[in-house]
Amino acid sequence: MRREVTEIDDIELEEQDLLLEEQAEGQELYEHFRLEVDNGQEPLRIDKYLAEHMPHTTRNRIQQAADAGFIHVLSAEDGLKGKASHPVKSNYKVRARDIITLMLDRPHYDTTIEPEEIPLDVVYEDDQLMVINKSAGMVVHPGVGNFHGTLVNAIAWHLRNLPSYDPNDPQVGLVHRIDKDTSGLLVVAKTPEAKSALGKQFFDHDTHRSYNALVWGHLAEDEGRIEGNIGRDLRDRQRMAVFPPGSEMGKTAVTHWRVMERFGYTTLVECRLETGRTHQIRAHMKHIGHPLFCDERYGGTEILRGERSSTYKAFIQNCFRLCPRQVLHARTLGFVHPVTGRQMDFTSEWPEDMQAVIDKWRRYIRGSEAT
């Protein structure tokens, strides 16, 4: 199950990775973890050593933290001399009585998930699972800058009277995730057995998921397939980038798309996922030259296609105001019920902001709306 959970947690992750932000020069750091190396410890790479002593993280995360200057070491000798700890790289060899600290650029915060009375749009619910239609703007899980008001806080409140449901137990809860500014369907497991079974379906690509997205430009074909590894952009760590299939960079990702409706300078598409990587649709569509409309992080808030007239520019700005987020909606979700074995299929209608901007484009191509 360990492998399954690692893969599932990679699905449309929120931008909350505590260890990926670069350390600003002179910035105050706060201690989040401290460990003194045993007397009998033989020299060992610090990333390997910490991976063995920090069970809730991975060696890759530790390496990223070291690259960002967050892993500090104070040797026994330097301690006796009154010196301060200093950042080290992943290949530093720990020695007996080294004091290792994880220093982050924000104070330690209690991430215990507490129930909060927040309205939920529950599409389906039984004693094993529930399907939720998430609104755009709601963060899925607590993280930096969003420790309250998240979807998991709302779920904890909704299930507060279910004794077997512990919102802080990773064996229950959300099976997959979508971005803060993406709307649509998510499934929540109420029992460890349900989460294990559903997690396996996601890992084996046995689920059926489709997204609707408005993208910039005219796609020459009516349908297509995008394959390319997805990993952190080497120049902008807040974005994902696409690397050649089979390369050592990123993880395998495949997106199938088909045209639903054409608006001249933009196109409404359906995207089906074979894999579920962070920002997969957003990164893949940008990679083929068609960023999502109003997707600021991937260049979609620029006027990428169309006329130079002030009237057209005003029209686009009005569209951005109607739907001030990437126009992306998790429309369908299908899976096999973990207990009954019955096929479960759900569809979510577009939210008002997405419907409004698509209607505006329809009127524009009919010539019935200038701005």
Side-chain angles (χ1 to χ4, degrees):
M1 184 58 192
R2 180 71 178 183
R3 186 183 178 198
E4 294 165 11
V5 170
T6 299
E7 290 288 330
I8 296 309
D9 281 351
D10 195 37
I11 296 174
E12 301 285 352
L13 285 175
E14 301 292 326
E15 300 123 22
Q16 300 170 3
D17 195 334
L18 299 183
L19 301 182
L20 290 177
E21 296 182 16
E22 296 292 344
Q23 177 184 344
E25 184 176 357
Q27 187 172 29
E28 183 177 2
L29 297 179
Y30 303 86
E31 182 178 310
H32 283 242
F33 177 84
R34 172 181 287 259
L35 177 66
E36 183 170 353
V37 179
D38 293 338
N39 274 330
Q41 177 65 48
E42 296 293 326
L44 182 68
R45 281 180 59 113
I46 195 167
D47 56 347
K48 185 175 182 180
Y49 179 83
L50 286 178
E52 295 172 354
H53 289 79
M54 298 177 71
H56 299 297
T57 190
T58 65
R59 190 170 178 180
N60 184 54
R61 285 278 181 91
I62 293 164
Q63 290 170 345
Q64 292 169 346
D67 290 343
F70 293 148
I71 303 294
H72 289 221
V73 169
L74 177 63
S75 68
E77 295 85 353
D78 285 348
L80 290 173
K81 296 175 183 178
K83 295 184 177 180
S85 64
H86 61 279
V88 297
K89 296 301 182 183
S90 300
N91 61 358
Y92 172 83
K93 298 289 184 66
V94 301
R95 294 177 294 171
R97 298 175 60 200
D98 275 355
I99 297 176
I100 304 171
T101 51
L102 172 64
M103 307 292 292
L104 297 181
D105 56 358
R106 60 196 65 82
H108 181 74
Y109 195 96
D110 183 5
T111 56
T112 301
I113 297 166
E114 299 291 345
E116 296 180 29
E117 190 173 3
I118 302 168
L120 278 180
D121 182 2
V122 179
V123 176
Y124 172 84
E125 183 173 10
D126 61 28
D127 60 351
Q128 295 293 318
L129 58 89
M130 57 194 291
V131 176
I132 295 169
N133 186 27
K134 186 187 86 71
S135 59
M138 175 178 271
V139 174
V140 169
H141 199 278
V144 179
N146 296 285
F147 290 107
H148 300 286
T150 72
L151 182 62
V152 295
N153 295 115
I155 294 169
W157 176 268
H158 184 81
L159 300 177
R160 66 193 183 283
N161 295 321
L162 184 63
S164 61
Y165 186 84
D166 179 358
N168 295 287
D169 182 356
Q171 295 186 84
V172 295
L174 284 167
V175 182
H176 60 126
R177 309 180 190 186
I178 57 179
D179 294 335
K180 171 187 175 183
D181 289 326
T182 299
S183 54
L185 297 170
L186 289 162
V187 62
V188 178
K190 293 184 178 181
T191 68
E193 294 76 20
K195 186 164 187 182
S196 179
L198 290 167
K200 186 176 188 305
Q201 290 183 53
F202 274 88
F203 182 76
D204 292 339
H205 314 310
D206 292 334
T207 57
H208 305 285
R209 290 178 295 157
S210 72
Y211 291 70
N212 290 170
L214 184 67
V215 303
W216 277 105
H218 174 84
L219 288 94
E221 306 295 330
D222 289 334
E223 59 183 30
R225 179 179 185 273
I226 309 168
E227 181 175 2
N229 288 12
I230 290 182
R232 291 280 171 183
D233 191 315
L234 300 178
R235 293 169 296 182
D236 182 352
R237 305 188 76 157
Q238 294 297 313
R239 298 197 315 182
M240 307 304 286
V242 180
F243 302 93
S247 72
E248 295 183 357
M249 301 294 291
K251 295 182 180 180
T252 301
V254 178
T255 302
H256 299 267
W257 59 267
R258 71 172 183 86
V259 172
M260 298 174 64
E261 198 168 349
R262 298 181 184 276
F263 304 122
Y265 303 128
T266 59
T267 306
L268 181 64
V269 297
E270 176 190 68
C271 294
R272 292 185 296 106
L273 302 181
E274 275 191 27
T275 54
R277 306 305 182 197
T278 305
H279 297 183
Q280 178 170 323
I281 293 171
R282 300 165 68 187
H284 266 174
M285 295 309 295
K286 177 178 174 58
H287 179 66
I288 65 170
H290 298 280
L292 269 61
F293 190 79
C294 206
D295 188 349
E296 182 176 9
R297 180 148 291 169
Y298 289 88
T301 52
E302 301 294 326
I303 300 179
L304 300 178
R305 303 286 193 281
E307 306 165 11
R308 295 184 178 182
S309 68
S310 58
T311 300
Y312 178 74
K313 290 178 181 177
F315 165 77
I316 295 298
Q317 293 304 320
N318 285 335
C319 287
F320 288 163
R321 281 190 285 271
L322 279 176
C323 189
R325 63 176 180 100
Q326 67 261 14
V327 185
L328 180 63
H329 179 67
R331 182 167 173 79
T332 69
L333 174 63
F335 54 86
V336 174
H337 194 282
V339 172
T340 67
R342 183 165 59 95
Q343 178 66 36
M344 310 285 287
D345 293 294
F346 302 92
T347 299
S348 167
E349 298 303 318
W350 296 334
E352 290 183 4
D353 59 353
M354 184 169 175
Q355 184 69 63
V357 77
I358 290 171
D359 286 345
K360 195 171 183 68
W361 273 103
R362 286 171 176 159
R363 292 192 298 270
Y364 180 82
I365 62 168
R366 291 198 305 263
S368 58
E369 181 168 343
T371 59

